[in-house]
Each structure stands twice: as structure tokens, then as C-alpha cells.
Amino acid sequence: MPINSFDNYPMSWKPDVSGISGPKYIALAKLLETDIRSGKLKAGTKLPPQRELADFLDLNLSTISKVYKLCSQKGLLSASVGNGTYVSSDAAADPMLLCAKGDSHIIEMGAIIPSVPDNVKVKQYVERLLKKPDSLSLLSYGLPEGTERQREAGVLWMKKSGFDTDAAHIVPAAGGQNALAAALGALFETGDRIGTEPLTFPGIKTAAKLFGIHLLPVQSLNYEVTEEGIRYAVQNEKIKGLYIIPDYQNPTSHIMSVVTRKMIARAAEKQNLLVIEDGINNLLERSPMPPIASFAPEQVVYLSSLSKTISPGLRTAFIHVPHRYREKLVAALYSMNISISPLLATVSAALIEDGGADEIIAHRKRRLLERNHIVDQILTGFVLPCEPTSPLRYIQLPDHFTGKSFEICARQAGVEVYGSERFFVGNKVPEKAARISIVTPPSPEFLEEGVKRLRSLLLQ
């Protein structure tokens, strides 16, 4: 029997184990997962200490430890050193951010996907390449580390961001998510901890979970990580690296200051941290700011994808990798892909070399200026201010909404958006906010209709 009486003792979770069968830790873990996913245990709820729960259930401490470990591995729980175990902020959120519903009556403003008509120039390049006598070679395997031409195209691509590197530091990948997963799998180990912004791209969460890597939020101020936060995370949470999106941060649309970029570079060198810098939106800025990698090239793995600027279907990304990590990264990419597509990589290189990419980027920026103007006019007072070529916007919600409830109500109104819960890392209660994509609606008219519907919800 339990040592103490729990009749009137306040515990956040008191599972009924009278009817469970089989291994107790597995059954208890399923009960805990069910209570979290159903909303019975809400994000940010502090769970009972393991000894306390073991005492209440009259079980061994090791059994409860296994329960918490299993649920932590699934991303349902978040533990903080000296502060206990909490239900993760995103425990009940769907991490998949792609159009998957297929509902024609829904205005898609959740997933960030540049519209299909913008691929006309890319199609022309593909057709031109396939007419060449040696085009069949583009349908075979390529080199795991890419060709010299492809790597030189990566150098030119990064130069547009003001980052000077060389072909020896460049490795191509099959898109940004492929590059991100390869970097995590190659350069970190199971059980390692990586610091992120408190709100971050869900793709890092799914990739980290795949490799058993734990993500921890780093203290931030005005949507920028602080030097004190990095120092605390290194000393107390034992983080080995950082994942940062400096440009049009996903989901907040914030652009990090040069001062903070330089601070992160200095901290990485001083603390021997490996920084994964995601530059996917960098070239959408009117005047792209220098990446963190330009201030600490030997401490930063810089990822730059063509998906948001040129075409998501090209599945092309370039990775700047310090020499000491290059062999591991190439091996990881080989294990995942064998090689990138020679056809897509060659199309990407041609677009970069002869200026076609610049034309597409300039066109995207003009479209974004128009679309952000629409959003600013209709959702003024609700959207976080940002630079006018952002592909995404962050909506701050009235108190009666959560991100999740607004997401549900918006869908009922015929608009797909993503609540803030999808983006949170750690165990704090998510702020009342949602993210929208302004590039995905097929026309400005569809975008205008979508934001009008959202405004009606916000004013209720």
C-alpha cells in the first residue's frame, strides 16, 4: 500500500490502474499519452515527481521512470533540470505542415507553398535540358557530394546572401528538410540536446525525434535568443548545439538583428557549440542580411534551400559545412539518398548561373509586397509587424482563443491556418497566436477572402 494518504493531496495526474494488464510501464505510458492527446492533461501541466507517483500507485520507482522516458521519447513530455517534468507545449499538435486535406472549399493558408504558376520558368529550363544530347545522363545516379558545377552553384547562391564560401565547403542536398535531417543525424548523437528559439519550425522537431535528439528552448527577448539564455542552456541543460532561423523566422516572421547574429557566432566559438543555421527565407528579404555563418564559418552549418525562393519541386538545397564535419555529412546524405537527382540539381545550377533564379526571386518579392499590403490593411492590430516581403505572418489572438481553437474555428470558416502550439518547444503554455502563409493562396483575391474570414473570427 502507499506510504502516504493521497485522498486530499493535489496531484496533476492520478491514473486509475485497477484495470490495466500486461507490463505496467507500457500500460501506464499509454494512459498518460491518451490523457495528453485528449486534452485532459493540458500543455504546460507539471506532472507529479516520479517518487510521488510511484508512492501513489504503489509501484517501483523504476516503473514510473520508464513511463516518463517512453512519453518523453514521443515528445509528449519536457523535463527541465531542477524544475520537474511537464506536458510539452506541442504535445497534442500535428507536426506535419503540408497541404494534405485535399478540400477544394478550403483556402490554404497553413502550409507555406509557393503557387504552381510560378514554376513556368523552371519548366522551361527542364525542357531545354532534356533536349540536349546528353540528357539521359541526368536520369541516372549522381555523386553523393555533388559535382563541381553543382557545388560552385552553391557558392554563387550563398554569395547572394553576402556569405563568401568555396566549393570545398559546399555539399548539395535533396531539399532543406533533407539537409536538416542529415545534419542532425551526422553531427549529433542520440540523447544530445540542442537549443532552439522557443517558437520554431516543426520540421526540426520531427527530425530531432527521429534521431532521439532533445530540443530545449533558449531564453529569448523580443523574439531573439539572448547571450544569457545561451550560457544558461550550455551550463545547466548541457546543449551541444543551436538551431536558428534568423530571417523571416518561422513562425514569427521576425528578422534577427546583426548584433544578435554576431553574439551567437561569438557564443558558438566560446562555448564550442555547433550552430545549424536555417537560411531558407534569407533571399526573400529586400536586402538580405549576412548569415551567422559569415561571422563564424567553422562553427556553423548553414542550410540554404531553393524551395521558398525558386521552386519546392526542385528539391535542391546547399549546405555550407566546416571541413571537420564534411565527411560525416556526405556519408549521412549517401545513407539517406544515395545521391541527389542530377536532373533537379543541374536545373538548379543553370538557374543560378545565368540569372534565371534572380528573375524568379525578384518576381516573388513583388508578389509578397502586394500580398503583405493586403494582410496589413485587413488584419491591422492583429498581425505582428514585419518587413514587407515576408512569406508568413504571425497573428496575435484575442484572449478567448488558443492557437488550437482558432485553427479549428478558421477551418470551419474555410481557411487553413496553424496554431502556435505546433511551433512551441519546451513546456510553457503556448501564447495565443497562429501563423498564416500568404504565398499559398493561388491569387491575391483568394488571399483577401481568406484574411477577411479570419478578421471576422478575430472580431467575434
Side-chain angles (χ1 to χ4, degrees):
M1 293 295 294
I3 297 170
N4 302 311
S5 171
F6 288 87
D7 291 341
N8 299 309
Y9 190 77
M11 290 177 65
S12 59
W13 190 51
K14 294 183 177 181
D16 181 2
V17 297
S18 59
I20 65 174
S21 58
K24 286 187 172 59
Y25 77 95
I26 293 177
L28 264 177
K30 287 181 178 178
L31 279 175
L32 181 52
E33 180 174 356
T34 298
D35 286 349
I36 291 172
R37 295 201 186 279
S38 69
K40 185 176 180 180
L41 285 173
K42 299 187 181 302
T45 299
K46 186 174 183 178
L47 292 182
Q50 294 182 26
R51 283 188 186 280
E52 194 173 282
L53 187 58
D55 191 11
F56 170 69
L57 297 175
D58 199 16
L59 295 173
N60 291 330
L61 176 61
S62 61
T63 299
I64 304 303
S65 295
K66 288 179 181 178
V67 172
Y68 280 26
K69 183 177 181 180
L70 276 176
C71 289
S72 294
Q73 289 171 340
K74 290 185 177 182
L76 300 171
L77 304 179
S78 176
S80 180
V81 175
N83 198 28
T85 301
Y86 295 75
V87 177
S88 295
S89 301
D90 62 343
D94 185 351
M96 306 294 282
L97 301 189
L98 279 176
C99 304
K101 310 288 192 305
D103 295 339
S104 58
H105 69 284
I106 295 289
I107 298 175
E108 178 61 61
M109 295 178 66
I112 302 174
I113 303 177
S115 60
V116 172
D118 290 341
N119 290 314
V120 170
K121 182 172 284 291
V122 176
K123 180 174 178 282
Q124 293 170 349
Y125 273 71
V126 173
E127 291 171 341
R128 193 181 309 157
L129 277 173
L130 290 177
K131 288 178 182 177
K132 291 188 175 182
D134 62 348
S135 61
L136 282 178
S137 65
L138 300 176
L139 302 176
S140 185
Y141 288 113
L143 298 172
E145 70 275 18
T147 65
E148 183 69 20
R149 179 190 180 188
Q150 291 160 6
R151 294 194 299 275
E152 288 292 351
V155 172
L156 292 174
W157 181 252
M158 292 190 178
K159 194 177 184 65
K160 297 177 190 298
S161 300
F163 177 36
D164 289 319
T165 183
D166 55 58
H169 283 87
I170 296 293
V171 178
Q177 187 67 23
N178 177 238
L180 178 55
L184 289 177
L187 308 180
F188 295 92
E189 298 179 358
T190 299
D192 279 352
R193 296 178 161 213
I194 297 176
T196 73
E197 293 144 308
L199 286 152
T200 195
F201 170 51
I204 182 70
K205 297 196 279 187
T206 56
K209 189 181 297 184
L210 181 66
F211 296 109
I213 294 168
H214 302 287
L215 302 180
L216 295 144
V218 175
Q219 178 197 67
S220 295
L221 180 64
N222 298 324
Y223 297 112
E224 298 194 2
V225 296
T226 65
E227 189 169 7
E228 296 79 8
I230 294 174
R231 189 183 306 117
Y232 178 89
V234 171
Q235 294 174 354
N236 296 279
E237 304 290 0
K238 310 303 180 188
I239 63 169
K240 299 288 184 66
L242 290 168
Y243 171 76
I244 300 289
I245 309 172
D247 305 285
Y248 289 138
Q249 199 270 350
N250 189 358
T252 65
S253 74
H254 180 73
I255 295 177
M256 182 180 289
S257 68
V258 173
V259 171
T260 300
R261 294 172 197 239
K262 290 180 177 179
M263 178 276 291
I264 293 172
R266 289 194 307 271
E269 291 176 332
K270 184 177 180 179
Q271 306 284 356
N272 193 30
L273 291 173
L274 176 60
V275 178
I276 298 179
E277 180 180 8
D278 194 335
I280 192 167
N281 292 320
N282 176 272
L283 290 177
L284 291 177
E285 292 179 42
R286 288 184 294 181
S287 298
M289 298 182 68
I292 299 167
S294 63
F295 304 114
E298 291 306 309
Q299 294 295 137
V300 180
V301 174
Y302 182 55
L303 317 178
S304 187
S305 166
L306 276 63
S307 65
K308 299 299 186 281
T309 47
I310 307 299
S311 170
L314 282 175
R315 306 313 306 143
T316 302
F318 298 106
I319 309 171
H320 161 85
V321 57
H323 277 304
R324 65 186 182 279
Y325 300 124
R326 189 178 188 279
E327 188 175 334
K328 284 185 176 181
L329 186 61
V330 170
L333 287 165
Y334 173 80
S335 298
M336 297 168 70
N337 309 325
I338 302 298
S339 76
I340 59 173
S341 163
L343 173 61
L344 299 181
T346 303
V347 172
S348 300
L351 283 161
I352 294 167
E353 290 165 350
D354 70 5
D358 295 329
E359 292 179 31
I360 295 173
I361 292 171
H363 174 66
R364 289 210 188 284
K365 289 180 180 179
R366 289 193 296 271
R367 283 167 51 92
L368 286 167
L369 285 168
E370 176 187 9
R371 291 181 174 227
N372 274 297
H373 181 66
I374 292 171
V375 173
D376 286 333
Q377 281 192 316
I378 298 173
L379 294 182
T380 182
F382 292 108
V383 287
L384 200 70
C386 71
E387 289 297 309
T389 54
S390 176
L392 57 123
R393 298 301 295 268
Y394 196 56
I395 302 175
Q396 295 171 315
L397 304 173
D399 283 343
H400 59 276
F401 278 116
T402 64
K404 180 67 174 176
S405 68
F406 185 74
E407 184 177 319
I408 293 169
C409 290
R411 191 156 215 284
Q412 291 171 343
V415 185
E416 189 76 69
V417 305
Y418 290 148
S420 61
E421 291 87 349
R422 294 175 182 255
F423 305 92
F424 260 80
V425 176
N427 51 46
K428 289 188 177 179
V429 176
E431 62 189 37
K432 299 173 184 296
R435 190 207 75 185
I436 61 172
S437 164
I438 70 168
V439 298
T440 311
S443 69
E445 291 72 27
F446 271 93
L447 172 67
E448 184 173 351
E449 176 61 27
V451 292
K452 283 181 176 178
R453 294 183 191 182
L454 296 180
R455 179 176 172 80
S456 295
L457 285 175
L458 293 165
L459 292 175
Q460 286 180 359

